[in-house]
């Protein structure tokens, strides 16, 4: 479904991604894990076209994303739920959801999808006329995920969805992500919470210093010695 | 009683003036919000619209209030072209100066006002509309009114149109996808991009709409003001002062700031002297910078978001 082939990414003259290749197959949850600064978010930003690879290809159902205008990404069926949520804080919850469904099919089915999102997150329904900036951190993350779902994605990419949330909320968010997968959306997730992420991931890639150093199924990585010592603290 | 009458009359004319100022500032605020750039040619675009309305009146006898519907669209398309062929390319150039576009707008302002001088001479012009000095009087409606107040007809019509345009803009910004995309782009450009907003297109539309607003303001000012090529600077200045009072890039702030400045100038003119209005404008500008650096918008934001 999504193929990343040998990409190099630079910030100015500094190379931050070194020859990364991986793939996401339909129906999977694939995780990129690693420490702060390993290049996980950079990889997602490159997929969504905010950054451009200097070398290599990114193909989504054979569409070359590395040559696509960033605003056309959502029309291919990829929705990127960005790091730190990036909500439109001075717009209402409902307006934020509307912003998630500007194009094509998603726009036509806006009201139907909105009901599904409200079913998934009843809190958002209660507060739909409130400004997004007045929500708590957990509610904001729910809204960010909901806004992503409004685009009716085939592939939904999550960048650090657990960032800054309490442990209970983190569990809730991961359950939601599992549910999204069960309903047929493919998921690519970037996380620092390695344990929980590997528990829900079908496959995962471990990134260190801009390179992929390990890959495998979620379960096999949970039992990997390197992962255990470096990320799980056991 | 005469004192009260004078005060109320000053308040009313300040309010009417403020409504028109708000329209100028709204356009500036929209552009500032999306582009993060002060359009220092704003008043000069208004001057262009006023000349369009002036010539339409002089040659075809078209009322300036009707010219709104010609000058507005004309400036809209002019704005699209300026954004597409001048501002966007300049934005993509790396340079040591961070705000290339601001400098470009300064250049545009010079070019426009000088071209106008070349083509139209520096003469002061006005449109002698038939209703120029008509007015409504409070005693016409209420015989036993303790105070006598008057409403100038052209000022009132201009104000009412300004209010209608402001309401139309508000509906556009809150109810349509394009309007929401404009607000979203102003709040978080990268996030808007991820939602599928074509940001370059939004910039064009925003610049176009900003110019429509100032063009309408120009047409509304024409029956009550003089027109000359260098008039732009003064109104750019006013728009900028309101942006500081209201809060950079905030449309709500622009409306409130416009009314504040209108009333303040009117008060200065009545109680200190006609010539002191610019000094009043300057002092409120400095006061806003010192005592309310975020403008009215920062108070609004605090109340709405609780932070």
């Amino acid at each position: 479904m999504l193929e990343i082939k040998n990409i190099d990414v630079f910030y100015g003259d500094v190379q931050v991604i070194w020859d990364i290749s991986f793939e996401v197959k339909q129906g999977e949850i694939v995780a990129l894990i690693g420490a702060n600064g390993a290049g996980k978010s950079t990889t997602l930003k490159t997929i969504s076209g905010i950054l451009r690879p200097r070398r290599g290809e990114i193909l989504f159902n054979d569409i070359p994303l590395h040559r696509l205008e960033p605003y056309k990404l959502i029309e291919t069926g990829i929705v990127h739920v960005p790091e730190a949520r990036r909500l439109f804080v001075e717009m209402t919850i409902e307006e934020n959801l509307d912003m998630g469904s500007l194009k094509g099919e998603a726009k036509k089915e806006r009201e139907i999808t909105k009901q599904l999102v409200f079913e998934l997150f009843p809190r958002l329904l209660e507060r739909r006329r409130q400004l997004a900036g007045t929500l708590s951190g957990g509610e904001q993350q729910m809204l960010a995920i909901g806004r992503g779902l409004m685009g009716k994605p085939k592939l939904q990419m999550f960048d650090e969805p657990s960032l800054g949330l309490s442990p209970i909320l983190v569990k809730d968010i991961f359950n939601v992500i599992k549910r999204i997968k069960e309903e047929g959306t493919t998921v690519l997730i970037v996380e620092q919470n390695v344990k929980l992420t590997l528990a829900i991931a079908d496959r995962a890639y471990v990134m260190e210093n801009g390179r992929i150093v390990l890959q495998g199924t979620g379960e096999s990585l949970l039992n990997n010695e390197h992962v255990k010592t470096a990320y799980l603290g056991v | 009683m005469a004192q009260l009458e004078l005060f109320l009359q000053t308040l009313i004319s300040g309010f009417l003036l403020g409504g028109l100022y708000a329209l100028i500032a709204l356009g500036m605020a929209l552009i500032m919000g999306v582009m993060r750039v002060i359009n220092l040619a704003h008043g000069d675009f208004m001057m262009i619209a006023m000349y369009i309305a002036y010539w339409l009146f002089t040659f075809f006898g078209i009322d300036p209030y009707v010219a709104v519907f010609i000058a507005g669209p004309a400036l809209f398309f002019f704005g699209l072209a300026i954004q597409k062929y001048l501002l966007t390319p300049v934005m993509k150039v790396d340079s040591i100066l961070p705000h290339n576009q601001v400098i470009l707008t300064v250049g545009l302002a010079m070019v426009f006002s000088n071209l106008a001088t070349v083509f139209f001479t520096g003469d002061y012009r006005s449109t002698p509309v038939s209703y120029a000095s008509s007015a409504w009087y409070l005693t016409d409606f209420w015989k036993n009114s303790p105070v006598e107040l008057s409403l100038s007809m052209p000022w009132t019509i201009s104000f009412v149109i300004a209010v209608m345009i402001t309401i139309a803009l508000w509906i556009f910004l809150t109810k349509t996808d394009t309007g929401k995309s404009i607000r979203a782009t102003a709040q978080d450009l990268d996030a808007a991009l991820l939602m599928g907003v074509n940001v370059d297109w939004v910039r064009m539309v925003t610049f176009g709409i900003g110019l429509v607003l100032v063009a309408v303001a120009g047409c509304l000012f024409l029956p009550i003001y003089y027109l000359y090529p260098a008039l732009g600077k003064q109104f750019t200045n006013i728009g900028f002062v309101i942006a500081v009072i209201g809060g950079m890039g905030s449309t709500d702030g622009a409306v409130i700031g416009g009314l504040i400045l209108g009333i303040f100038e009117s008060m200065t003119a009545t109680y200190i002297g006609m010539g002191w209005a610019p000094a009043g404008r300057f002092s409120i500008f400095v006061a806003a910078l010192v005592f309310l650096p975020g403008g009215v918008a920062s108070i609004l934001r605090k109340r709405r978001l609780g932070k």
Side-chain angles (χ1 to χ4, degrees):
Chain A
M1 190 178 206
L2 177 71
E3 292 170 272
I4 284 82
K5 293 181 182 167
N6 308 99
I7 57 167
D8 286 342
V9 183
F10 290 72
Y11 281 123
D13 290 329
V14 183
Q15 185 164 6
V16 286
I17 299 289
W18 304 75
D19 194 27
I20 279 188
S21 300
F22 65 93
E23 65 169 334
V24 181
K25 291 184 204 129
Q26 180 124 29
E28 282 185 316
I29 295 184
V30 172
L32 291 179
I33 56 174
N36 235 338
K40 310 179 302 291
S41 295
T42 306
T43 307
L44 281 201
K45 283 184 195 157
T46 312
I47 295 170
S48 56
I50 294 175
L51 297 169
R52 294 285 183 200
R54 200 170 282 187
R55 199 174 65 87
E57 294 192 299
I58 302 166
L59 299 175
F60 179 66
N61 293 332
D62 297 325
I63 304 167
L65 296 185
H66 54 284
R67 283 199 286 270
L68 198 72
E69 290 279 349
Y71 72 89
K72 288 184 178 150
L73 180 84
I74 203 162
E75 289 171 75
T76 66
I78 300 184
V79 166
H80 180 168
V81 181
E83 191 175 3
R85 308 181 267 271
R86 305 295 285 267
L87 296 170
F88 305 113
V89 288
E90 287 179 51
M91 294 169 85
T92 66
I93 283 143
E94 208 165 356
E95 284 174 330
N96 269 276
L97 293 177
D98 290 345
M99 284 304 297
S101 55
L102 290 176
K103 299 289 157 123
E105 199 65 3
K107 182 170 176 159
K108 269 180 237 152
E109 290 175 28
R110 177 178 290 174
E111 293 310 315
I112 303 167
T113 325
K114 213 183 266 175
Q115 290 317 311
L116 295 176
V117 170
F118 285 148
E119 238 166 73
L120 197 58
F121 304 115
R123 288 285 270 286
L124 298 183
L125 177 66
E126 285 164 35
R127 310 192 166 191
R128 68 182 193 278
R129 300 204 195 291
Q130 234 169 287
L131 294 187
T134 62
L135 296 178
S136 70
E139 292 163 341
Q140 289 197 4
Q141 188 61 56
M142 291 172 193
L143 178 55
I145 294 174
R147 185 178 67 175
L149 288 171
M150 291 299 292
K152 311 213 101 208
K154 292 179 203 138
L155 169 67
Q156 193 161 8
M157 306 196 292
F158 295 94
D159 196 347
E160 303 272 6
S162 76
L163 197 74
L165 301 185
S166 71
I168 297 171
L169 282 171
V170 171
K171 275 212 169 120
D172 285 348
I173 295 290
F174 276 92
N175 281 332
V176 166
I177 293 171
K178 242 163 86 181
R179 211 175 130 184
I180 288 171
K181 177 215 165 176
E182 280 155 13
E183 282 170 17
T185 306
T186 310
V187 172
L188 174 59
I189 179 172
V190 154
E191 257 297 342
Q192 289 194 54
N193 190 328
V194 172
K195 199 172 174 185
L196 279 173
T197 310
L198 289 179
I200 63 163
D202 295 301
R203 289 186 306 113
Y205 298 84
V206 181
M207 285 188 76
E208 280 171 15
N209 300 319
R211 295 177 175 86
I212 289 178
V213 292
L214 266 178
Q215 54 178 301
T217 62
E219 217 180 84
S220 72
L221 287 176
L222 270 177
N223 297 315
N224 180 289
E225 284 308 315
H226 177 72
V227 173
K228 272 187 183 168
T229 48
Y231 301 105
L232 301 176
V234 278
Chain B
M1 198 52 83
Q3 277 303 315
L4 179 70
E5 214 166 74
L6 181 67
F7 177 78
L8 288 176
Q9 190 65 56
T10 308
L11 194 65
I12 289 171
S13 38
F15 203 71
L16 296 179
L17 177 66
L20 293 181
Y21 278 181
L23 209 50
I24 299 173
L26 264 176
M28 209 174 201
L30 266 189
I31 294 170
M32 205 180 291
V34 168
M35 248 90 74
R36 312 255 159 238
V37 148
I38 305 161
N39 175 21
L40 289 177
H42 208 60
D44 296 272
F45 284 110
M46 174 167 151
M47 179 269 296
I48 294 173
M50 287 174 84
Y51 271 106
I52 294 175
Y54 174 80
W55 293 116
L56 286 172
F57 179 82
T58 311
F59 287 137
F60 306 107
I62 295 174
D63 192 281
Y65 293 123
V66 179
V68 163
F69 298 99
I70 302 165
L75 268 273
F76 178 74
F77 290 110
F78 192 42
L80 295 189
I82 297 247
Q83 177 66 36
K84 181 162 186 191
Y85 296 109
L86 289 174
L87 289 168
T88 304
V90 164
M91 193 170 51
K92 286 176 180 156
V93 176
D94 279 324
S95 98
I96 28 172
L97 294 167
H99 284 308
N100 273 338
Q101 297 174 81
V102 184
I103 297 163
L104 179 67
T105 62
V106 174
L108 285 175
M110 287 180 190
V111 171
F112 292 151
S113 62
N114 285 306
L115 280 180
T117 316
V118 171
F119 289 127
F120 309 137
T121 74
D123 292 352
Y124 279 54
R125 298 164 193 275
S126 62
T127 48
V129 287
S130 54
Y131 47 80
S133 52
S134 316
W136 290 293
Y137 295 94
L138 186 60
T139 42
D140 291 346
F141 301 96
W142 181 20
K143 280 242 154 39
N144 304 322
S145 161
V147 287
E148 173 63 316
L149 296 172
S150 68
L151 272 180
S152 149
M153 192 187 281
W155 277 95
T156 310
I157 299 173
S158 292
F159 179 80
V160 169
I161 296 177
V163 170
M164 289 188 321
I165 299 276
T166 306
I167 292 171
L169 178 75
W170 180 78
I171 292 172
F172 169 74
L173 286 177
T174 52
K175 304 292 174 208
T176 68
D177 276 4
T178 310
K180 285 176 203 163
S181 300
I182 290 176
R183 286 160 60 214
T185 308
Q187 285 174 41
D188 191 331
L189 192 138
D190 278 347
L193 209 55
L194 289 178
M195 298 301 119
V197 174
N198 181 347
V199 172
D200 280 341
W201 179 78
V202 164
R203 285 199 182 106
M204 277 170 65
V205 172
T206 307
F207 201 75
I209 292 173
L211 294 199
V212 169
L213 294 170
V214 80
V216 171
C219 295
L220 299 183
F221 260 114
L222 195 57
I224 48 185
Y225 209 82
Y226 290 104
L227 167 61
Y228 53 99
L231 139 157
K233 276 181 207 75
Q234 182 193 344
F235 284 97
T236 302
N237 195 323
I238 287 167
F240 185 59
V241 170
I242 296 171
V244 169
I245 300 171
M248 295 277 179
S250 157
T251 45
D252 301 348
V255 172
I256 297 169
L259 292 174
I260 291 176
L261 185 66
I263 292 168
F264 191 78
E265 277 193 9
S266 182
M267 292 287 172
T268 323
T270 302
Y271 291 106
I272 300 178
M274 273 309 237
W276 287 92
R281 196 184 301 149
F282 184 70
S283 54
I284 197 171
F285 174 73
V286 173
L289 280 176
V290 173
F291 298 111
L292 194 60
V296 176
S298 65
I299 301 174
L300 294 176
R301 197 169 299 131
K302 216 170 274 171
R303 286 191 48 181
R304 283 180 198 154
L305 297 178
K307 60 187 161 199

